[in-house]
Structure formats: C-alpha cells, structure tokens
C-alpha cells in the first residue's frame, strides 16, 4: 500500500570493500531499509530493487505503519535481521572515538551493552572499581568477565613503576584484540601522569585521570548513546566476585611529595569522605553480604573532617563506624607510625578491629 511504502522503503547501496578485498565497480550492494529516517541494513533477505515494503520486509515489519510499530515491539527476530549501519572517522575502531551520528535504535530493541573491568594496583583502585561497577550496572549495562567479549572495556590503571605502566598497556591492547569495535577506556593514575602516552595508543578510545573518574560513567553512556536507567543491581551477572573484603575509600590524595613517589601527581591534593557517607557505605557492604570492610585511602592517617567546633580524626571515624554498624571485622590501611596515638591503639584492641 502507499502508506507502507512511505513507512518503509528499500534501495541498493554499494558497500565499501574491506581492506585487501576487490569489488567490481558495477556490483550491487546489500539491500537497505529506511525506517522513520534511520537507515538499517537487512541481512538474510531476498529483497530486490523496486519491491518496496513487500516480500520479507512485509513479513517482518507489517503491511502498514500500525503493524510495523506493533511488530517492532513484539517480534523477537527483528533484532537479528535489522542491524544499524554505523559510521565513524576510523572504521578499524568502529564508532567509539566519536559520538554516533545516526539515531540509536529504540531501547526495547537494543541489547544491553556489556562491560568488563580490569583493575591493577592498590586497594584504592579496588574501591574505585566497586563504585564504577555499581554505577554502570545501575545504568543498565551488563557486566561480564574481562576475558569475555564486551562492548566496553575499562582498565583501571596503575603507574607506580614502569612495570605497572607496561602491564596497563598490555591489558588495553588485550581488550582491543578481544573486540576491535569495543570502547576501550584507560582510567586512573596512569592517565593522570602520562595522558599523552595513552592518547597515542590507537587501541585506546577514552582516557580519564584519577581526579576525573566521577565523569567516566556519563562519558561511556554518551559514547554508547545509551540512556541512564534504573536497573536492579541484584540480578545475576557473569562476573564472579572473588574478593571477600569490601574496600571503602575514606580519603584520597597526598601532599607529602616524597622524592621517590609519583602518587601526589597521580592522586592530587588530599580529599576526605564525610563520616556519615563512610558509615552508609559500610552498611551497604554489610547488606551485600560482606563481613569484613577495609577503610583505605592514599594516606589514611591524615584523615580529618570538620564537625561543629571540632575536627574529627581517624580514631573518631573508626569509633563511629564501630558504634553505628554491626560490621564483624574492620580494618584500616596506610597509617604512618607517626600518626598513631594512644586513642588509636585503644581502638585497635577493639574485638571487631582486625589486626
């Protein structure tokens, strides 16, 4: 009918030859379909020029606009026969180095993007990883193991030594080999110290330093053209949690500038987490089934938080966590010997404080 012809039209367009492939100038391309202004390719169809909205297209999409809309919601095999045409400045890397130029598919037709995270380095990176995983899952992405195929790979890097830098680069290249079309993101200390080295790597699409980590989720969702959604984070995932302790960041950054240490450049100036927020995160870990929590940071012994006419120190924070949560075992890391006083020693002897 005329209505269906306005709604779905087919035509033949040439498909660019792959590297090393010869194609005759007069060869016909694969059939395509224009649907509501979005161009998609039809795979496994026998459509020929001049037969718009007929044959297999009519069988899949329907005879008129109402049928098309209904079938796009109901027919499960539409996903396998309609694939968006992606375009980008670098075909070898897909479209991840720039935002997509075409209107994305409706969310009810799109498979949830998969993501995988590899974390290198310290306990602070492990805490950042847990926050990042939770945010991406809440946004609707599906988590898989780093050795599996995914649409997004994130390497939480370390840069304390040259070996750490090399290991970070190895994992970035490995991610690109597993799926050359995926978005590969380098985050953490390495980008904060040597961003130019990572920008020069053709395998890397996104570079975010430690201080800007809070923006990485929105950046990834923007690159994927995926709307942030409220998903149930208790659903089963392929990734199996292997750690029995939850790392919780209470402090980050250092201004000591020791001669041998790169951390002040990588982590920035000291920043502390509010005591109420620390208590909330510890309780959240308990609710998730963790029996042990490690309070970690760059230089935990320098923790302080203004409250009224006094300043809370690390011992005050430990006391509040023990009083306000039923955590079975509480640990603390990165405390210098000159930062230990009698009150801290008394708290360490608490029966729920782990040595």
């Amino acid at each position: 009918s005329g209505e269906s012809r306005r709604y779905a039209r087919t035509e033949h367009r040439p498909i660019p030859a792959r590297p090393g492939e010869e194609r005759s100038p007069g060869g016909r391309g694969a059939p395509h379909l224009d649907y509501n202004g979005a161009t998609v390719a039809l795979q496994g169809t026998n459509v020929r020029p001049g037969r718009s909205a007929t044959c297999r297209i009519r069988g899949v999409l329907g005879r008129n606009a109402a049928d098309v809309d209904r079938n796009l919601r109901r027919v499960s095999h539409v996903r396998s026969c309609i694939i968006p045409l992606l375009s980008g400045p670098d075909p070898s890397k897909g479209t991840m180095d720039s935002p997509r130029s075409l209107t994305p598919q409706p969310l009810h037709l799109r498979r949830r993007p998969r993501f995988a995270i590899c974390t290198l380095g310290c306990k602070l990176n492990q805490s950042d990883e847990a926050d990042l995983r939770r945010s991406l899952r809440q946004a609707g992405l599906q988590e898989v193991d780093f050795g599996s195929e995914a649409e997004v790979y994130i390497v939480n890097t370390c840069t304390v030594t040259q070996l750490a830098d090399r290991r970070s680069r190895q994992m970035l290249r490995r991610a690109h080999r597993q799926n050359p079309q995926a978005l590969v993101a380098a985050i953490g200390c390495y980008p904060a110290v040597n961003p130019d080295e990572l920008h020069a790597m053709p395998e890397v699409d996104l570079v975010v330093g430690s201080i800007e980590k809070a923006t990485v989720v929105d950046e990834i969702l923007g690159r994927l053209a995926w709307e942030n959604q409220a998903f149930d984070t208790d659903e089963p995932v392929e990734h199996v949690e292997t750690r029995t302790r939850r790392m919780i960041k209470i402090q980050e950054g250092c201004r000591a500038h020791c001669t041998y240490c790169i951390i002040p450049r990588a982590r920035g100036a000291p920043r502390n987490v509010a005591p109420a927020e620390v208590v909330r995160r510890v309780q959240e870990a308990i609710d998730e089934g963790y029996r042990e929590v490690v309070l970690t940071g760059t230089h935990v012994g320098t923790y302080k938080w203004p409250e009224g006419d006094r300043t809370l120190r690390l011992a005050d924070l430990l006391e509040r966590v023990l009083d306000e949560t039923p955590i079975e075992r509480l640990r603390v890391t990165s405390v210098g010997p000159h930062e230990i006083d009698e009150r801290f020693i008394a708290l360490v002897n608490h029966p729920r404080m782990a040595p």
Side-chain angles (χ1 to χ4, degrees):
S1 65
E3 183 179 7
S4 62
R5 284 191 175 90
R6 289 194 301 271
Y7 212 72
R9 186 183 72 254
T10 60
E11 57 181 331
H12 279 70
R13 300 175 183 174
I15 295 179
R18 296 177 179 175
E21 178 184 0
E22 295 183 359
R23 198 179 292 250
S24 61
R28 300 190 322 179
H32 290 68
L33 168 70
D34 288 335
Y35 171 68
N36 272 6
T39 304
V40 296
L42 298 179
Q43 294 187 343
T45 63
N46 58 357
V47 180
R48 296 192 297 272
R51 304 186 67 186
S52 59
T54 58
C55 299
R56 293 289 296 279
I57 295 180
R58 174 176 293 175
V60 171
L61 296 182
R63 297 176 179 272
N64 53 48
D67 288 345
V68 170
D69 281 337
R70 181 169 58 254
N71 288 335
L72 281 176
R73 291 191 299 269
R74 295 181 178 178
V75 180
S76 60
H77 64 271
V78 169
R79 297 187 184 190
S80 62
C81 69
I82 299 182
I83 300 177
L85 286 178
L86 305 179
S87 61
D90 187 355
S92 65
K93 293 168 62 175
T95 62
M96 295 304 181
D97 51 355
S98 64
R100 300 189 188 279
S101 58
L102 295 181
T103 303
Q105 282 182 287
L107 291 181
H108 65 273
L109 282 182
R110 299 181 61 191
R111 183 181 66 181
R112 292 168 57 186
R114 297 162 296 180
F115 75 94
I117 302 178
C118 171
T119 293
L120 307 173
C122 63
K123 293 180 174 64
L124 200 55
N125 269 4
Q126 295 176 19
S127 174
D128 292 335
E129 175 198 358
D131 295 338
L132 182 58
R133 289 171 53 202
R134 186 180 300 105
S135 296
L136 289 173
R137 291 177 58 192
Q138 287 177 343
L141 275 65
Q142 178 184 359
E143 184 180 4
V144 298
D145 186 77
F146 196 80
S148 304
E149 184 174 352
E151 284 70 50
V152 180
Y153 292 97
I154 303 170
V155 178
N156 200 2
T157 63
C158 177
T159 190
V160 292
T161 64
Q162 290 183 349
L163 292 178
D165 288 348
R166 184 173 69 181
R167 179 62 173 166
S168 298
R169 293 191 296 268
Q170 288 174 344
M171 299 309 296
L172 290 166
R173 294 188 178 107
R174 174 184 169 185
H176 179 73
R177 286 195 302 270
Q178 290 178 169
N179 183 5
Q181 305 301 321
L183 169 65
V184 179
I187 67 173
C189 293
Y190 193 178
V193 175
N194 290 309
D196 293 341
E197 289 185 8
L198 295 170
H199 281 297
M201 293 181 62
E203 299 87 355
V204 178
D205 303 291
L206 180 61
V207 177
V208 180
S210 299
I211 300 176
E212 297 82 19
K213 273 184 181 179
T215 66
V216 70
V217 172
D218 290 337
E219 184 69 25
I220 289 173
L221 298 181
R223 298 287 185 99
L224 296 177
W226 180 263
E227 293 183 12
N228 197 332
Q229 303 170 69
F231 272 74
D232 182 7
T233 57
D234 293 330
E235 64 178 1
V237 295
E238 292 184 31
H239 177 85
V240 177
E241 180 60 67
T242 58
R243 302 187 181 104
T244 58
R245 304 171 181 169
R246 167 59 63 84
M247 306 296 168
I248 295 180
K249 178 170 61 178
I250 66 171
Q251 183 272 345
E252 182 175 11
C254 179
R255 59 166 56 96
H257 292 281
C258 300
T259 302
Y260 60 87
C261 186
I262 196 68
I263 294 304
R265 286 181 55 195
R267 291 284 179 177
R271 304 174 302 281
N272 302 290
V273 180
E277 177 63 15
V278 175
V279 170
R280 187 194 67 79
R281 293 182 184 180
V282 172
Q283 185 60 54
E284 186 178 70
I286 296 172
D287 296 340
E288 292 176 1
Y290 287 91
R291 301 172 62 188
E292 182 173 332
V293 161
V294 180
L295 303 183
T296 186
T298 310
H299 197 174
V300 170
T302 64
Y303 179 89
K304 57 183 178 180
W305 187 267
E307 187 173 271
D309 56 353
R310 61 188 294 251
T311 299
L312 301 181
R313 309 294 299 200
L314 178 60
D316 300 299
L317 177 65
L318 295 177
E319 188 175 42
R320 181 169 295 188
V321 171
L322 292 170
D323 290 342
E324 299 183 14
T325 70
I327 187 66
E328 295 183 29
R329 290 188 298 273
L330 182 65
R331 293 180 186 267
V332 62
T333 65
S334 304
V335 181
H338 60 286
E339 295 155 350
I340 297 176
D341 54 18
E342 293 183 359
R343 188 169 178 221
F344 182 83
I345 294 174
L347 279 172
V348 169
N349 291 325
H350 191 283
R352 288 191 286 142
M353 283 292 298

